[in-house]
Amino acid sequence: FLLVGIENTERRRDLTGPTDVAEDREIASHVGGSAAFRAFLREELMPAVAARYRVTSERAIVGESLAGLFVVETFFAEPGLFDAHFAFDPSLWWNDAELVRRAPESLRANREIAGALYLASSDQPELAALAARLAEALRAAAGPNVRWRHVPMPDEAHHTIYHPAALRAFRAVLAPE
């Protein structure tokens, strides 16, 4: 497969959605640019890659921490942009955990949500609890076209989870059929 790494100039802006929480806005002077970043991926980057390389229609996105938040948001906000979504220790606390709180409603309201969602969580109690809550919402409300898995990795820390989670996730989701 072809792996495209994206240099990010202002990650907290690009990887976060809007927020009503003052503490979130204290993290960075600019937040809430995830929709624009997603539009860049869809309208500029993906067509440029397709024009330059021989590609199939299959697409996957991988992210950890705030990038994992972006992955989960993209799974809900734009079903179909990617076939597989890999979120490792996603920062689901953003905007008072709105993505987690709204997940059951989003899943029931939008039956077009499809594809694979792989969640891995570390030993961080808040992140692990929110990932487990999201997994429970998926268990209760995901449609038949959603393949998902939540893998707690309590032996990993937030700063060590990426590589072991990615290896497990890719083997589980991208294995040849």
Side-chain angles (χ1 to χ4, degrees), residues 100-117:
V100 175
R101 286 185 292 108
R102 296 183 52 139
E105 168 191 333
S106 297
L107 289 162
R108 285 187 199 97
N110 188 353
R111 300 312 271 179
E112 294 177 20
I113 295 175
L117 175 60

Side-chain angles (χ1 to χ4, degrees), residues 5-87:
I6 304 167
E7 182 179 6
N8 193 278
T9 58
E10 202 171 336
R11 68 184 278 278
R12 290 181 175 155
R13 174 200 63 202
D14 294 342
L15 300 176
T16 60
T19 183
D20 297 320
V21 178
E23 291 85 9
D24 291 351
R25 285 194 218 97
E26 290 175 11
I27 291 172
S29 56
H30 301 108
V31 298
S34 59
F37 189 59
R38 202 169 11 264
F40 161 74
L41 295 177
R42 177 186 354 88
E43 297 166 13
E44 296 180 47
L45 183 62
M46 292 164 78
V49 170
R52 187 168 186 176
Y53 301 98
R54 189 176 54 184
V55 297
T56 69
S57 63
E58 294 174 290
R59 305 281 184 269
I61 186 167
V62 181
E64 182 261 339
S65 195
L66 280 178
L69 172 72
F70 178 79
V71 167
V72 174
E73 180 187 303
T74 299
F75 175 78
F76 286 112
E78 196 162 340
L81 185 59
F82 296 97
D83 304 294
H85 306 76
F86 302 95

